[in-house]
Amino acid sequence: MERMTRERDFTDPRIPNRDECVLRYLLDRWANERPDQPHVVFADGAEWTFAELRDKVRTKAAGLRAMGIEQGEHVAVWLPNGPDALIAFYAINYIGAVFVPFNTAYRGQLLQHVIANSGARVLLVHPDLVPRLHEIDLGRVERLVVTTGIEVPEAPRPIQRFDELAGAADETLELARPIEPWDIQSIIYTSGTTGPSKGVLSSYLHMFSNAGPESWPMVDENDRYMCVAPIFHIGGMGPPFVMLARGASVAMIDNFSTEDFWAVAKATQSTVVFLLGVMATFLLKAEPRPDDRDHTVKKAFMVPLTGDAPAFTERFGVDIYTIFNMTEISSPIVSEANPTKIGTCGRVRDGVDVRLVDRNDCEVPIGEIGEMLVRTDRPWAMNSGYNANPEATAEAWRNGWFHTGDAFRRDEDGYFYFVDRVKDAIRRRGENISSFEVEADVCSHPAVREAAAVAVPSEFSEDEVMVIVAPVPGQKLEPRQLAEFLIDTMPYFMVPRYIRILDELPKTPSAKVMKADLRKEGVTSDTWDREAAGLRVRREKFSA
């Protein structure tokens, strides 16, 4: 009741109070109201209550302020998941500075690009990553804050140790002005799989709207969200923040492991998990065990939603939800529990407008494919543009709508279905082919763990379809046998001509398959050619 009767900070009812959506005030609020309740647990059994976490955060925040970090300043963070990364995230926001994490796989020109784009004077970095800094121009970076207690290699800038970072909190943490919901909270860089990474400017209100109580009503204050995504990804830094908004908790895990997933979920008492890409496939194709339901997970987000969803629920006893989201937007499409329309992303949630359009931004009819455009009723509930990149901002936000670059179709019941990234679409023999749909059919083979479909040049015109697949561990997969399986399950024009088998598909640390690299490699010496093998597909086989 206290929350309902609290005096409002803003007259616009669409804008939550500061202590509902701004990290500093949220942390102070819960440390006062729920001091002994855990907010963060780790795989090793350690946990921090709201009060303990606030003390740690205030100490580091005071240290940052003592270094001269000002409200609104960008602070770069180049750390793997762990306690230091989370404390750095919260401490930076606690003084109203902007959290700017980098992908730990970056190096060379890409690393130099994001450092320059960030405009940061201070870089928090793990000692194992310091040698890569010698390879590049550090631009405006003046000082490195190095984590962990191990010996630090020679560095190209003066060093401050994170474990020694402290200050007089009461004297240094006063703000020049209140931190507002529309202030920039973070800059999250896109994956950069098809070009230079763009820094997405996100306000506190954008992060709150992304997966907060209104966007994800199925997650509440009694849940614990198990986070396995890296903290430099929206899927890694978003969960602690949105669970903080609920006064709830998060389990911070280093990375996803098929073998240990359910045991870690049980050990951390996690109730909500997010299964991105092939994670659900990995778990379902693992050998069944008698304790498959012996865990605490109640809800799972499966993205994308595959035909395996009912089997997943039956085996593991978990309710399945799905969504469509990306770093720049705020979960515009969300499903109900256990959706029966396999392949859907859900329907438009309240407070969001969605259109599917052609290349001229003209809306397409129901059932036809168009690029998804999004806008929200709430101000600042989506990205505030791309950092230091006005051209990309203007292009993405043309005509007053954010252009996702993703192609969808919508059915008569209002359900949306992802078709492809606009740039990943394949055109073969006059037919437009969804790489996403090709991959879904390929992954339906019991021996396939994951797949990527790409276009490669045809000797005739347009494209040929190539799939790169990784088998389920311990199972043998032959290209011809897979091709014969697909001939019986796919339209003739979608059946891949080329099949390449790898142990693992190349991915970014945020678990995105690096299709641009696979497309660039093209038809390699270890690629099987269906037509060269004499296995041809005729149109007549599929005629009505």
Side-chain angles (χ1 to χ4, degrees), residues 26-41:
L26 279 165
L27 184 56
D28 285 344
R29 173 186 172 186
W30 298 125
N32 292 330
E33 295 182 14
R34 303 175 182 178
D36 300 324
Q37 180 174 314
H39 174 52
V40 187
V41 300

Side-chain angles (χ1 to χ4, degrees), residues 326 354-364 368-374 395-396 398 401-409 416 420-422:
M326 56 194 298
V354 171
R355 298 173 63 220
L356 300 185
V357 303
D358 62 20
R359 66 181 62 188
N360 298 308
D361 283 6
C362 297
E363 197 153 350
V364 300
E368 292 192 12
I369 295 171
E371 181 183 3
M372 179 179 284
L373 276 53
V374 184
E395 175 66 16
R398 63 188 183 275
W401 292 75
F402 182 78
H403 291 62
T404 66
D406 288 325
F408 279 78
R409 63 178 176 84
F416 285 77
D420 217 331
R421 286 293 293 171
V422 171

Side-chain angles (χ1 to χ4, degrees), residues 238-275:
F241 181 81
V242 297
M243 296 311 279
L244 180 66
R246 292 169 169 83
S249 58
V250 61
M252 293 294 292
I253 310 303
D254 291 345
N255 50 56
F256 172 81
S257 166
T258 304
E259 182 178 355
D260 301 329
F261 184 85
W262 296 111
V264 172
K266 181 179 179 180
T268 57
Q269 297 292 287
S270 297
T271 63
V272 179
V273 299
F274 199 102
L275 304 174

Side-chain angles (χ1 to χ4, degrees), residues 11-232:
T11 57
D12 189 334
R14 298 171 299 176
I15 307 296
N17 289 349
R18 295 186 187 99
D19 67 356
E20 292 176 308
C21 65
V22 175
L23 188 145
R24 176 179 176 127
Y25 308 125
L26 279 165
L27 184 56
D28 285 344
R29 173 186 172 186
W30 298 125
N32 292 330
E33 295 182 14
R34 303 175 182 178
D36 300 324
Q37 180 174 314
H39 174 52
V40 187
V41 300
F42 298 95
D44 64 2
E47 66 177 38
W48 294 338
T49 65
F50 283 112
E52 291 169 338
L53 178 58
R54 181 174 63 171
D55 288 344
K56 294 176 185 292
V57 166
R58 285 176 61 85
T59 297
K60 297 304 181 188
L64 292 171
R65 179 60 63 79
M67 289 178 62
I69 301 297
E70 299 293 337
Q71 188 170 348
E73 184 170 347
H74 299 179
V75 181
V77 176
W78 200 26
L79 299 173
N81 279 16
D84 286 345
L86 188 68
I87 289 291
F89 166 23
Y90 278 30
I92 290 166
N93 277 177
Y94 199 85
I95 58 174
V98 180
F99 175 61
V100 190
F102 297 155
N103 189 321
T104 53
Y106 285 172
R107 65 186 314 141
Q109 290 299 312
L110 185 51
L111 177 61
Q112 183 169 306
H113 162 71
V114 295
I115 287 178
N117 181 266
S118 74
R121 294 187 301 114
V122 173
L123 171 63
L124 279 69
V125 57
H126 190 279
D128 290 348
L129 299 173
V130 169
R132 298 188 206 170
L133 298 177
H134 291 282
E135 306 169 2
I136 62 170
D137 180 357
L138 289 178
R140 293 189 62 212
V141 174
E142 300 171 357
R143 181 172 295 273
L144 306 178
V145 178
V146 183
T147 60
T148 79
I150 67 176
E151 184 178 352
V152 181
E154 181 180 353
R157 291 289 190 274
I159 287 176
Q160 170 108 24
R161 293 306 301 255
F162 188 71
D163 53 8
E164 298 172 357
L165 193 64
D170 293 338
E171 299 175 8
T172 61
L173 291 180
E174 185 176 347
L175 296 169
R177 62 169 179 80
I179 304 171
E180 302 291 5
W182 44 83
D183 286 343
I184 299 300
Q185 179 261 344
S186 61
I187 300 175
I188 304 296
Y189 284 88
T190 58
S191 61
T193 55
T194 58
S197 293
K198 297 190 292 290
V200 180
L201 293 162
S202 294
S203 67
Y204 290 92
L205 200 45
H206 176 201
M207 286 293 103
F208 175 83
S209 302
N210 189 56
E214 296 171 356
S215 309
W216 289 14
M218 71 290 291
V219 179
D220 60 37
E221 64 180 15
N222 298 310
D223 281 311
R224 177 168 293 166
Y225 189 122
M226 186 168 82
C227 179
V228 298
I231 202 163
F232 54 75

